[in-house]
Amino acid sequence: MPELTISDVIEIDEPVPFVGKHLINGEWISGSETLERVSPSHGLVVSISAKGTASETENAIAAARSAFESDSWSGLSGKQRATTLLKVADLIDANVERIAAQETLESGKPIAQSRGEVGGASDLWRYAASLARTGHGDSHNSLGEDMLGIVVKEPVGVVSIITPWNFPFWILSQKLPFALAAGCTVIVKPSEMTPSSTVMLGELLLEAGLPAGVCNIVLGHGEPVGSLLAAHKEVDMVSFTGSTIVGKLITQACSNTLKKVALELGGKNPQVIFPDADLESAADAVVFGVYFNVGQCCNSSSRIIVHEDIADTFVQRVIELSKQVKFGDPMNPDTQVGAIVTDEHNTKIHEYVQAAIEAGAKLELGGERLPIDGLGNQFYQPTVLSGVTPDMDIAREEVFGPVLSVLTFRTLNQAITMVNDSVFGLSAGVWSENVHTCIEFSRKVEAGTVWTNTWMDGYPELTFGGVKQSGQGREIGRYGYEEFLKVKSILMRIGRSRTPWVEQRA
Ligand code: NAD
């Protein structure tokens, strides 16, 4: 095994499994069936959740529909909605430790990152609260003295929110407070692998006084819960984050009713490194970009495109830093990289690495599972592959693991072509001290977000989303809020000056 930095295993008491129920019309409902989640790092049962059926999903949709029609939420003023969202934000802050610990046990991510994810999410709720009060339409007072035009924005209606396992609390908070700020009612389906933090948030919503039926939660699998939430005629919009393959299924299911669909999907996000860049900072950002959340991150920078003149030395620096990143027990607060979400996924990561080597890539570091004494085998070594060419699967497909592919370039145009030679377009990054290089790159690459001389910074104010097969629609920021609104034009004739269409008989 290469010389890596492995953090100490922390002794923990065997966790009492969290019991997750559906939240339907303000009531907690035990499922007729349940499913268990085993911690990827410790191999212990950490939650037992209701496994949703079609009829439970129907009940949740009916509750959301009836809450929407009753105006118990959409009829409130923005100030009233904001007051509830701000209470939720305060409750999140007061419950970070409990939610984060459960999220780490279910997902395998380091506890420090779970704390950051949950603690940081309250700011999304506060920002959404500000939009509930300040959102507005347009008025047109220049249509002539006999006409006033008003564009009003109304809640889309009943929204299904379907989320993945990699950032369960954060991704829910990128959607739910914005949908609620707009006046929508919702049904949430978290991933079957990480359902508990969503249930805990449901408890906080009730404590904050959200009216019954405004936010419903159905736990369980894509079939039948997720697909029904997408296809149902009483649902007006689906907001989905997950894999591109399931995103396509959801789009098909939505086509029956032509409901609105917003998709946040996969990525194959490149960082391009020029010789004039701050190479020490770039190397650190590359290591952060590929190992954060064990590479199980839509924004993972799983491929780097490095200028030929500096490629060898840059890769050596990335390897040195990779060996210093602390892998291991997610419950240790010092750990930076935890466990892989499932054993099957670990096998898939390894198969990608093997296939890349067979295709001619050079293994510079890692390339094997990482057994941790006392915790088992569901970890993967930090892995660096050089000599990757654009045609290899490892350069084109989302691996979703701690695996970095290194490609090289000579000119800016060549680098831009390589960035855009992908079905994905989520994010991209450029490292150069030359502002012209950074601006030309930012303008020409096909991506929803471009980072220059940084990686994966984000703010509630700045919208997020992908192009091409990375998705459609936007989250957070003002644009994310607008996704949950529909637009209506109202034309008002002033006075009685309308010219008759029918010629009057004398
Ligand atoms: P996934 O697509 O397997 O599952 C996502 C959710 O969809 C889960 O709740 C799942 O139960 C549900 N689902 C499965 N089949 C369904 C169906 N037929 N109909 C409706 N719902 C169904 O994704 P995952 O493995 O949980 O998450 C990883 C993926 O998510 C990666 O591809 C990653 O890039 C993507 N992701 C994207 C973003 C982004 O913002 N662009 C963020 C995080 C993750």
Side-chain angles (χ1 to χ4, degrees):
M1 203 208 294
E3 213 178 293
L4 303 176
T5 308
I6 309 295
S7 44
D8 293 337
V9 174
I10 300 275
E11 289 268 326
I12 57 163
D13 296 334
E14 189 164 328
V16 178
F18 179 84
V19 176
K21 299 180 182 176
H22 307 305
L23 176 61
I24 301 176
N25 206 21
E27 303 285 330
W28 293 104
I29 310 286
S30 304
S32 41
E33 289 178 63
T34 56
L35 56 94
E36 289 184 349
R37 174 68 178 152
V38 173
S39 154
S41 50
H42 294 76
L44 302 167
V45 175
V46 290
S47 62
I48 301 170
S49 307
K51 182 177 163 191
T53 61
S55 73
E56 287 158 349
T57 311
E58 292 270 2
N59 291 344
I61 295 170
R65 171 55 61 196
S66 133
F68 186 71
E69 304 299 342
S70 78
D71 288 344
S72 63
W73 183 248
S74 60
L76 298 183
S77 67
K79 179 180 174 182
Q80 287 168 311
R81 288 203 290 268
T83 303
T84 304
L85 299 184
L86 291 171
K87 274 189 202 153
V88 177
D90 290 345
L91 287 167
I92 291 171
D93 284 342
N95 285 274
V96 170
E97 203 48 47
R98 173 172 175 256
I99 301 172
Q102 184 66 23
E103 187 146 312
T104 282
L105 289 172
E106 280 183 353
S107 69
K109 73 173 64 186
I111 185 69
Q113 285 162 27
S114 291
R115 286 177 185 141
E117 181 184 335
V118 178
S122 61
D123 197 33
L124 294 170
W125 287 79
R126 292 197 176 95
Y127 178 70
S130 76
L131 293 170
R133 296 193 71 165
T134 55
H136 58 80
D138 308 310
S139 63
H140 293 259
N141 200 27
S142 56
L143 306 174
E145 62 179 10
D146 60 345
M147 185 61 71
L148 178 64
I150 306 174
V151 177
V152 295
K153 296 185 180 172
E154 300 172 341
V156 162
V158 175
V159 180
S160 293
I161 293 180
I162 303 175
T163 57
W165 48 262
N166 60 344
F167 295 94
F169 200 84
W170 181 265
I171 288 171
L172 180 56
S173 298
Q174 289 201 148
K175 299 172 185 288
L176 181 57
F178 295 83
L180 293 177
C184 295
T185 62
V186 300
I187 313 102
V188 180
K189 191 203 94 60
S191 166
E192 57 279 17
M193 288 187 261
T194 52
S196 302
S197 60
T198 298
V199 175
M200 290 174 173
L201 181 63
E203 293 168 358
L204 304 184
L205 296 176
L206 295 186
E207 199 177 331
L210 192 75
V214 173
C215 177
N216 306 274
I217 299 170
V218 186
L219 308 177
H221 292 280
E223 286 295 343
V225 182
S227 61
L228 193 51
L229 287 179
H232 203 284
K233 66 179 174 34
E234 292 295 339
V235 171
D236 300 302
M237 174 180 172
V238 179
S239 173
F240 171 78
T241 298
S243 59
T244 296
I245 189 156
V246 174
K248 289 178 184 176
L249 291 175
I250 285 183
T251 308
Q252 282 165 15
C254 290
S255 71
N256 240 354
T257 52
L258 288 181
K259 61 173 64 76
K260 186 170 180 179
V261 55
L263 303 169
E264 295 289 342
L265 310 175
K268 190 74 197 174
N269 315 297
Q271 296 198 58
V272 174
I273 297 111
F274 283 82
D276 68 337
D278 175 348
L279 294 176
E280 189 55 27
S281 189
D284 184 80
V286 164
V287 168
F288 165 59
V290 70
Y291 302 131
F292 180 66
N293 219 46
V294 211
Q296 302 171 134
C297 190
C298 58
N299 267 328
S300 166
S301 123
S302 53
R303 58 176 174 142
I304 57 169
I305 305 174
V306 192
H307 194 277
E308 279 172 13
D309 290 352
I310 53 158
D312 289 346
T313 45
F314 188 79
V315 170
Q316 285 317 307
R317 186 63 188 137
V318 167
I319 291 168
E320 278 167 28
L321 291 176
S322 299
K323 291 178 182 168
Q324 293 168 36
V325 177
K326 298 176 192 103
F327 277 60
D329 185 356
M331 293 306 274
N332 183 332
D334 290 337
T335 297
Q336 292 172 290
V337 184
I340 303 292
V341 72
T342 60
D343 194 50
E344 302 75 57
H345 187 51
N346 214 0
T347 301
K348 192 175 135 204
I349 293 168
H350 190 56
E351 286 168 358
Y352 266 115
V353 173
Q354 291 298 308
I357 295 167
E358 275 163 36
K362 181 179 171 209
L363 183 67
E364 300 271 4
L365 180 73
E368 293 292 343
R369 281 175 182 255
L370 176 59
I372 306 269
D373 278 346
L375 290 184
N377 206 19
Q378 217 163 289
F379 297 80
Y380 203 81
Q381 295 179 5
T383 297
V384 179
L385 292 157
S386 65
V388 173
T389 51
D391 56 310
M392 293 180 191
D393 286 352
I394 199 96
R396 312 190 72 78
E397 294 176 19
E398 193 182 40
V399 176
F400 234 52
V403 179
L404 180 68
S405 294
V406 183
L407 298 91
T408 55
F409 76 98
R410 272 227 76 75
T411 65
L412 172 61
N413 278 344
Q414 195 189 359
I416 291 169
T417 303
M418 289 168 81
V419 167
N420 291 342
D421 178 22
S422 171
V423 296
F424 297 113
L426 191 59
S427 55
V430 60
W431 289 85
S432 170
E433 292 297 290
N434 184 329
V435 70
H436 305 287
T437 303
C438 292
I439 291 176
E440 189 170 346
F441 179 92
S442 304
R443 284 184 168 162
K444 289 192 175 164
V445 294
E446 297 161 353
T449 299
V450 180
W451 284 292
T452 78
N453 296 309
T454 187
W455 188 258
M456 235 191 301
D457 286 318
Y459 298 87
E461 291 84 350
L462 278 173
T463 199
F464 178 70
V467 298
K468 302 200 279 188
Q469 293 190 31
S470 288
Q472 60 192 44
R474 287 294 176 267
E475 290 199 339
I476 62 175
R478 177 165 293 281
Y479 296 97
Y481 164 69
E482 304 256 338
E483 285 290 333
F484 296 105
L485 293 167
K486 57 190 180 194
V487 176
K488 180 183 279 173
S489 291
I490 301 175
L491 292 99
M492 301 175 70
R493 186 167 291 283
I494 315 299
R496 294 293 168 261
S497 59
R498 185 177 168 271
T499 312
W501 187 58
V502 180
E503 221 172 286
Q504 302 285 322
R505 285 202 194 101

